């Protein structure tokens, strides 16, 4: 089976890696891909927002399955256009993608279906938002309504910070994403995520993962797209996991009630484990990044079989099997991330890192220069993943691998998954 993956990050490398292991795979293409996907698939220079180009390429290359990685093409309706052209597509239509594309849409969906979440208010003007802040005070969470590349959520400990966040949103700091603002009650507790395959109003849940969003050790510094992640999550008891799965099943059934087309793909549930139980912080309409990088290595089932069955609404044909091993992923970032950073730094040592048993390195922001050297090409550069029987061993292995990889300005956290050791 010929398969096309859309995207260029660490998530897409992890998905491509999983698909490449399938006994059903024929030609495997990634658009546009990165330095890592080039080693296991054919990178193709397609614009992932151009549905007609994707359809044309798929026809010319006998593609039988298109896997959409990032959120932007989903929100733009690329999945449905490619699906309507006759191809099996793993990824929801634009209506389903609004669960991520609009935070107010998502919150309204949660409330309409009695899914536990924080109290909130949707504000369409700065004046309205400021008045609500005066009413509720801080701490509070301010969110740009639309897609803001992971940067549109501000946790404000004081009223002044919340007011500044509102001004930034309506001043255009997040583009069109900030033209509507959602102000939300701040929940307390550890965060974790649960991904689920969705089709036909049914969910098949994956193991939980917990990422580290802050830039520096000790959960200090600015929020990032994720500096590391691990799976499973020891603090998630079987009872908590069952409650989270119930919430995801309820959300899946709600998609079948509300949406014109079947939601076929992945739904990401971002949870806060509050004293009252798990509550939803957000939905994403695709695999998480970097959560995918620890969930895919633990999936023992054939990825092509699973993704094709989801795309064709055949959930009954899926038999999900998971490894009991612990997975730890450490992100190697460019100096300055999540602020400004330089590209083009030569990367060395990946082969030595992957020579360690249990280690896989997924590329997030890499490319080849004119001399065919692998170089940095983004803020988050590499995802170093280790699988082992215990978190202690997985952490040790991951950091041993990280120390074998070098590029100028390499930045990483040294405390990834430490909390997993505490249970």
């Amino acid at each position: 089976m010929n398969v096309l993956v859309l995207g260029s990050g660490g998530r897409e490398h992890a998905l491509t890696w999983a698909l490449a292991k399938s006994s059903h795979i024929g030609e495997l293409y990634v658009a546009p891909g990165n330095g890592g996907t080039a080693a296991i698939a054919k990178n193709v220079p397609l614009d992932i927002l151009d549905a007609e180009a994707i359809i044309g390429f798929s026809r010319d290359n006998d593609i039988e399955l298109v896997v959409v990685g990032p959120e932007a093409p989903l929100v733009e309706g690329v999945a449905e256009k490619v699906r309507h052209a006759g191809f099996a597509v793993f990824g929801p239509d634009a209506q389903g993608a609004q669960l991520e594309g609009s935070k107010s849409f998502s919150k309204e969906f949660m409330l309409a279906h009695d899914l536990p979440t924080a109290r909130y208010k949707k504000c369409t003007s700065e004046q309205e938002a400021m008045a609500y802040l005066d009413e509720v005070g801080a701490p509070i969470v301010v969110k740009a309504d639309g897609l803001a590349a992971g940067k549109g959520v501000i946790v404000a400990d004081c009223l002044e910070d919340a007011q500044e966040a509102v001004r930034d949103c309506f001043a255009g700091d997040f583009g069109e994403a900030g033209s509507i603002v959602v102000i939300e009650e701040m929940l307390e507790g550890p965060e974790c995520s649960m991904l689920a395959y969705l089709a036909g109003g049914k969910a098949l849940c994956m193991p939980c993962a917990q990422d580290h969003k802050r830039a520096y050790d000790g959960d200090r510094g600015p929020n990032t797209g994720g500096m590391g992640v691990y799976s499973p999550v020891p603090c998630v008891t079987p009872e908590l996991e069952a409650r989270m799965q119930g919430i995801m099943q309820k959300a899946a059934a709600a998609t079948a009630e509300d949406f014109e087309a079947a939601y076929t793909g992945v739904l990401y549930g971002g949870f806060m484990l509050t004293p009252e139980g798990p509550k939803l912080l957000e939905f994403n309409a695709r695999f998480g990044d970097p959560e995918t990088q620890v969930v895919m290595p633990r999936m023992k089932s054939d990825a092509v079989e699973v993704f094709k069955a989801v795309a064709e609404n055949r959930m009954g044909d899926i038999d999900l099997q998971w490894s009991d091993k612990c997975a730890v992923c450490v992100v190697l970032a460019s100096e300055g991330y999540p602020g400004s950073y330089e590209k083009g730094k030569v990367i060395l040592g990946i082969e030595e890192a992957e020579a360690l048993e249990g280690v896989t390195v997924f590329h997030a922001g890499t490319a080849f220069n004119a001399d065919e050297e692998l170089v940095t090409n983004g803020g988050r550069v590499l995802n170093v993943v280790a699988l082992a029987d215990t978190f202690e061993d997985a952490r040790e292995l991951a950091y041993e691998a990280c120390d074998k990889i070098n590029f100028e300005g390499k930045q990483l956290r040294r405390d990834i998954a430490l909390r997993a050791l505490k249970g």
Side-chain angles (χ1 to χ4, degrees), residues 88 183 271:
I183 299 176
F271 284 90

Side-chain angles (χ1 to χ4, degrees), residues 266-285:
V266 162
L267 185 65
Y268 169 118
F271 284 90
M272 183 76 82
L273 306 180
T274 76
E276 296 82 37
K279 293 187 178 183
L280 285 163
L281 294 172
E282 64 177 354
F283 281 130
N284 290 332

Side-chain angles (χ1 to χ4, degrees), residues 310-356:
V310 171
E312 295 178 345
N313 202 357
R314 294 184 288 106
M315 294 291 270
D317 293 344
I318 298 173
D319 178 24
L320 282 182
Q321 300 289 331
W322 301 96
S323 166
D324 292 330
K325 288 188 179 292
C326 300
V328 172
C329 168
V330 179
V331 172
L332 303 184
S334 296
E335 184 176 16
Y337 176 79
S340 60
Y341 53 84
E342 296 181 358
K343 298 180 181 181
K345 308 299 184 182
V346 175
I347 304 168
L348 301 172
I350 292 178
E351 287 186 9
E352 290 80 359
E354 291 198 306
L356 298 170

Side-chain angles (χ1 to χ4, degrees), residues 383-407:
N383 306 141
V384 180
V385 180
L387 281 179
D389 291 330
T390 67
F391 275 116
E392 188 172 13
D393 289 343
R395 267 182 46 81
E396 183 178 339
L397 187 58
Y399 281 109
E400 182 183 354
C402 287
D403 290 340
K404 292 182 180 296
I405 299 172
N406 288 292
F407 54 87

Side-chain angles (χ1 to χ4, degrees), residues 135-179:
E135 178 185 332
V136 297
I140 200 78
V141 181
V142 178
K143 298 180 176 181
D145 184 69
L147 296 179
K151 298 175 182 176
V153 177
I154 302 94
V155 178
D157 293 321
C158 65
L159 188 59
E160 290 77 12
D161 288 348
Q163 291 168 336
E164 182 180 1
V166 165
R167 282 192 289 270
D168 288 344
C169 285
F170 285 109
D173 283 18
F174 305 107
E176 282 299 312
S179 60

